[in-house]
């Protein structure tokens, strides 16, 4: 049976062939083996590390999770896997010269394993995997998932919240208003004579009109809980949590003025001014008396109908 010392050249040759960092420490935490991968990515060759204490080479690891893992392996024969999430780049290892110059360490996953040899001497093997590519893929997938989720909640044309987003929000805010005893206001609005606008200017210009109106009105909701959404066609909705009816009416009148100020020509409008305008219906659930979502929507829709019946380009509240 070969002794550990006699086996070192063979072990060194094996470790130099593997595509990961590998080093072996003795019971005194001194480096016994240091493979070619470590030399390449740490910028320290095997000869410079031999018989040096690991923590002289990496002093910043004193008191860190890696020191505890090495201690467990050498004294208690317990293996450890350092979570990459909690220990992203513990060792100063770099993918190439360019990243080294920028100080960008590779993402690492480190495993510390006790070694059982015939001479009963204690050793531990430290394996370092470069998981940078895997982390990049994970981040990309996460970003794509967030983007996909946001796309499912946004209207393709206008970029504001879509009907699905509105349905989720009105249900959530109605339940919250009922639970907290707060007011909840809802506006339903649409562009006046929009069918006539489409017939006169064409659908492409009609889409541009929808985008312009949505862009102007969506900036008027400043609080995180407010939601401006496209309800369907030329109809939009605004959810205003913790907002009494009179405050909602004030905002609705400001929104009407905002659209008029755009001065979008509308020659087919049966109005004194041939510009694009909107009509708005406002409904509010008083504090502690929040209706069901569908009741609040129906009330705002009735108010919108009244605003249009009274001549359009105005606000009506219930």
């Amino acid at each position: 049976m070969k002794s550990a010392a006699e086996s070192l050249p063979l072990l060194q040759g094996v470790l130099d062939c593997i595509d990961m960092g590998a080093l072996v420490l003795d019971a005194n935490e001194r480096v016994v083996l240091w493979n070619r991968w470590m030399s390449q990515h740490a910028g320290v060759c095997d000869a410079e590390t031999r018989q040096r204490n690991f923590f002289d080479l990496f002093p910043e690891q004193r008191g860190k999770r890696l020191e505890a893992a090495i201690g467990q392996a050498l004294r208690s024969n317990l293996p450890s896997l350092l979570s990459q999430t909690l220990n992203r780049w513990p060792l100063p290892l770099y993918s190439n010269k360019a990243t080294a110059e920028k100080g960008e360490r590779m993402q690492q996953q480190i495993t510390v394993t006790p070694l059982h040899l015939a001479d009963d001497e204690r050793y531990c093997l430290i394996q370092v995997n470069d998981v940078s590519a895997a982390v990049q893929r994970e981040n990309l997938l996460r970003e794509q998932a967030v983007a996909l989720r946001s796309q499912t909640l946004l209207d393709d044309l206008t970029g504001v919240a879509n009907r699905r987003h509105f349905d989720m929000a009105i249900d959530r805010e109605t339940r919250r208003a009922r639970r907290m005893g707060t007011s909840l206001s809802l506006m339903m609005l649409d562009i006046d004579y929009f069918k006539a606008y489409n017939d006169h200017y064409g659908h492409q210009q009609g889409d541009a009109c929808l985008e312009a109106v949505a862009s102007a009105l969506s900036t008027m909701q400043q609080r995180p809980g407010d939601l401006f959404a496209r309800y369907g066609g030329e109809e939009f909705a605004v959810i205003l949590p913790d907002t009494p009816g009179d405050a909602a009416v004030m905002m609705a009148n400001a929104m009407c003025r905002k659209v008029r100020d755009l001065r979008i020509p509308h020659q087919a409008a049966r109005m004194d001014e041939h510009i694009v305008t909107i009509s708005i219906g406002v409904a509010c659930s008083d504090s502690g008396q929040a209706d069901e979502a569908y009741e609040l929507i129906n009330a705002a829709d009735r108010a919108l109908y009244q605003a249009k019946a009274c001549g359009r380009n105005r606000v009506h509240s219930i």
Side-chain angles (χ1 to χ4, degrees), residues 185 243-251 282 284:
S185 289
T243 304
D246 54 352
V249 169
M250 288 180 60
M251 176 173 283
V282 180
C284 178

Side-chain angles (χ1 to χ4, degrees), residues 158-284:
T158 62
V160 301
N162 62 11
R163 175 64 180 272
R164 178 170 179 264
H165 194 171
F166 169 83
D167 289 341
M168 294 168 56
I170 192 65
D171 180 64
R172 179 182 66 247
E173 294 300 339
T174 301
R175 288 185 282 107
R176 191 181 74 86
R178 191 159 49 238
R179 184 175 66 252
M180 304 299 292
T182 55
S183 298
L184 174 63
S185 289
L186 174 66
M187 299 182 201
M188 300 295 288
L189 64 99
D190 71 7
I191 299 174
D192 296 325
Y193 302 111
F194 187 72
K195 183 180 183 304
Y197 186 97
N198 262 340
D199 292 342
H200 183 79
Y201 293 99
H203 289 283
Q204 186 173 358
Q205 191 62 31
D207 287 348
C209 176
L210 285 170
E211 289 182 83
V213 170
S215 177
L217 297 182
S218 63
T219 61
M220 299 184 69
Q221 287 73 53
Q222 300 296 327
R223 301 177 306 169
D226 297 345
L227 182 74
F228 179 81
R230 187 179 181 191
Y231 193 75
E234 71 273 23
E235 194 169 7
F236 296 87
V238 184
I239 301 172
L240 298 170
D242 303 315
T243 304
D246 54 352
V249 169
M250 288 180 60
M251 176 173 283
N253 281 306
M255 293 171 71
C256 284
R257 291 193 297 272
K258 183 85 169 180
V259 173
R260 286 197 298 269
D261 289 344
L262 294 176
R263 310 299 296 179
I264 300 174
H266 189 350
Q267 293 300 321
R270 296 191 293 273
M271 310 282 286
D272 292 336
E273 289 186 286
H274 292 289
I275 59 173
V276 169
T277 59
I278 59 174
S279 299
I280 304 180
V282 180
C284 178

Side-chain angles (χ1 to χ4, degrees), residues 123-136:
Y123 297 90
C124 73
L125 169 66
I126 301 176
Q127 297 166 270
V128 184
N129 281 285
D130 179 5
V131 293
S132 301
V135 170
Q136 289 176 357

Side-chain angles (χ1 to χ4, degrees), residues 19-312:
D19 188 26
M20 70 172 66
L23 54 150
V24 176
L25 306 184
D26 65 15
N28 296 313
E29 300 172 344
R30 292 175 302 194
V31 176
V32 177
L33 292 172
W34 176 277
N35 77 340
R36 186 177 294 116
W37 190 98
M38 287 295 298
S39 298
Q40 177 183 349
H41 296 289
V44 182
C45 68
D46 173 40
E48 296 176 282
T49 65
R50 195 65 58 85
Q51 294 303 312
R52 289 186 61 184
N53 186 282
F54 178 83
F55 297 103
D56 290 340
L57 293 168
F58 302 112
E60 64 184 36
Q61 291 305 310
R62 285 286 185 192
K64 300 291 182 61
R65 176 70 182 90
L66 183 53
E67 182 182 28
I70 291 172
Q72 288 177 336
L74 291 174
R75 289 180 282 279
S76 305
N77 288 325
L78 295 175
S80 299
L81 172 64
L82 274 64
S83 165
Q84 190 278 327
T85 303
L86 300 177
N87 307 270
R88 295 184 178 182
W89 36 71
L91 300 179
L93 304 176
Y94 304 94
S95 298
N96 50 55
K97 184 178 180 181
T99 57
E101 290 175 351
K102 292 187 289 186
E104 296 178 355
R105 297 185 181 187
M106 69 169 58
Q107 301 268 356
Q108 305 159 35
Q109 184 179 73
I110 297 180
T111 304
V112 182
T113 308
L115 296 178
H116 305 280
L117 301 179
D119 57 10
D120 290 331
E121 293 185 38
R122 291 185 179 273
Y123 297 90
C124 73
L125 169 66
I126 301 176
Q127 297 166 270
V128 184
N129 281 285
D130 179 5
V131 293
S132 301
V135 170
Q136 289 176 357
R137 285 195 299 271
E138 182 180 337
N139 290 338
L140 179 60
L141 289 173
R142 187 180 297 112
E143 290 171 1
Q144 290 174 339
V146 171
L148 181 61
R149 183 175 181 275
S150 68
Q151 288 171 6
T152 63
L153 296 178
L154 295 180
D155 177 60
D156 290 337
L157 175 64
T158 62
V160 301
N162 62 11
R163 175 64 180 272
R164 178 170 179 264
H165 194 171
F166 169 83
D167 289 341
M168 294 168 56
I170 192 65
D171 180 64
R172 179 182 66 247
E173 294 300 339
T174 301
R175 288 185 282 107
R176 191 181 74 86
R178 191 159 49 238
R179 184 175 66 252
M180 304 299 292
T182 55
S183 298
L184 174 63
S185 289
L186 174 66
M187 299 182 201
M188 300 295 288
L189 64 99
D190 71 7
I191 299 174
D192 296 325
Y193 302 111
F194 187 72
K195 183 180 183 304
Y197 186 97
N198 262 340
D199 292 342
H200 183 79
Y201 293 99
H203 289 283
Q204 186 173 358
Q205 191 62 31
D207 287 348
C209 176
L210 285 170
E211 289 182 83
V213 170
S215 177
L217 297 182
S218 63
T219 61
M220 299 184 69
Q221 287 73 53
Q222 300 296 327
R223 301 177 306 169
D226 297 345
L227 182 74
F228 179 81
R230 187 179 181 191
Y231 193 75
E234 71 273 23
E235 194 169 7
F236 296 87
V238 184
I239 301 172
L240 298 170
D242 303 315
T243 304
D246 54 352
V249 169
M250 288 180 60
M251 176 173 283
N253 281 306
M255 293 171 71
C256 284
R257 291 193 297 272
K258 183 85 169 180
V259 173
R260 286 197 298 269
D261 289 344
L262 294 176
R263 310 299 296 179
I264 300 174
H266 189 350
Q267 293 300 321
R270 296 191 293 273
M271 310 282 286
D272 292 336
E273 289 186 286
H274 292 289
I275 59 173
V276 169
T277 59
I278 59 174
S279 299
I280 304 180
V282 180
C284 178
S285 290
D286 294 329
S287 300
Q289 302 296 322
D291 300 322
E292 295 294 333
Y294 73 90
E295 294 174 339
L296 191 60
I297 293 171
N298 286 340
D301 206 42
R302 290 197 305 273
L304 173 60
Y305 177 83
Q306 289 297 321
K308 296 169 72 172
C310 292
R312 293 179 169 82

